[in-house]
Amino acid sequence: MMSLDIVLENLNDLPDSLQKQKSAKTCRHPLLAWDMISMTLKEEKIESLRKLKSLSQEYQWSFDTATLVKSKFDALVVTDLNQKILWASIGFERMTGYKPAEVIGLKPSLLQGAKTEPSTKRKIKKAISNLKGLETALINYKKDGTEYLCHIRIIPLHRENQQVTHFLAVESSI
């Protein structure tokens, strides 16, 4: 595959983790198509973590978003105790076909369907009702009806007094 010779200026505008070479003004190197996709995904992940950190401060969660920096995930979803979606990351649309704004106020169960194991649904429901975390895999469905295998880690979000107020789902398509 051929690479494109692209001039990247203003590298200072990119997060340090995305900078491959630094120079005073200009950096020239071949940039492959998958490098551009990787950079976009990293930028989306950084933006998602920024928004999650903002929510963490707003709701006074004692959760360190830095613990997710090295985690592999496609989407992040925050729900309230009634399992209503409060926020979904940018990657949620790519993973499910739903724009984040479309699912605000809905329950993540909208992604479940005929092949979603009832025992897995019960485990998730039990963990949430007991205000506990859980890690599992389940078959979910995209907006267009396509099924996909989803690895999900549910993390209770609590304040310093240990009162759980929300849940964070860290999701990856398998």
Side-chain angles (χ1 to χ4, degrees):
M1 181 171 245
M2 292 179 55
S3 64
L4 300 172
D5 221 3
I6 296 180
V7 177
L8 296 177
E9 296 189 48
N10 300 322
L11 277 180
N12 292 332
D13 292 343
L14 295 174
D16 287 340
S17 62
L18 298 179
Q19 294 183 21
K20 291 188 177 187
Q21 298 177 6
K22 287 184 180 180
S23 69
K25 280 200 150 205
T26 305
C27 172
R28 291 179 185 257
H29 62 85
L31 187 63
L32 303 176
W34 55 81
D35 290 333
M36 293 172 62
I37 292 168
S38 178
M39 286 173 57
T40 300
L41 294 176
K42 286 179 184 177
E43 289 170 6
E44 284 181 8
K45 183 175 182 178
I46 290 166
E47 181 56 34
S48 295
L49 292 174
R50 276 191 192 123
K51 178 59 178 174
L52 185 60
K53 184 175 184 174
S54 172
L55 288 169
S56 183
Q57 291 169 342
E58 179 182 342
Y59 290 100
Q60 301 172 348
W61 299 323
S62 58
F63 176 73
D64 185 5
T65 55
T67 60
L68 296 176
V69 170
K70 293 186 179 181
S71 296
K72 180 193 173 300
F73 63 84
D74 294 315
L76 300 173
V77 179
V78 173
T79 63
D80 64 16
L81 294 179
N82 296 315
Q83 300 177 39
K84 303 277 185 175
I85 297 172
L86 174 73
W87 172 79
S89 68
I90 302 164
F92 186 81
E93 181 176 3
R94 189 174 27 267
M95 191 166 102
T96 68
Y98 289 97
K99 294 179 190 237
E102 288 181 90
V103 297
I104 303 301
L106 301 178
K107 293 186 175 193
S109 58
L110 81 109
L111 301 171
Q112 298 169 2
K115 291 187 182 176
T116 307
E117 281 291 324
S119 62
T120 304
K121 292 195 283 189
R122 283 192 300 274
K123 280 196 296 190
I124 293 170
K125 185 177 181 175
K126 182 178 179 183
I128 290 172
S129 64
N130 290 327
L131 304 177
K132 301 289 183 195
L134 174 74
E135 193 162 344
T136 192
L138 72 158
I139 294 175
N140 271 347
Y141 292 83
K142 296 182 179 191
K143 186 176 182 177
D144 68 5
T146 306
E147 63 183 58
Y148 66 99
L149 187 56
C150 182
H151 176 266
I152 183 169
R153 182 168 44 125
I154 299 171
I155 302 168
L157 298 171
H158 54 82
R159 295 193 175 126
E160 286 184 26
N161 66 3
Q162 300 305 311
Q163 177 190 7
V164 174
T165 62
H166 296 82
F167 288 95
L168 170 65
V170 182
E171 302 183 8
S172 300
S173 187
I174 302 175

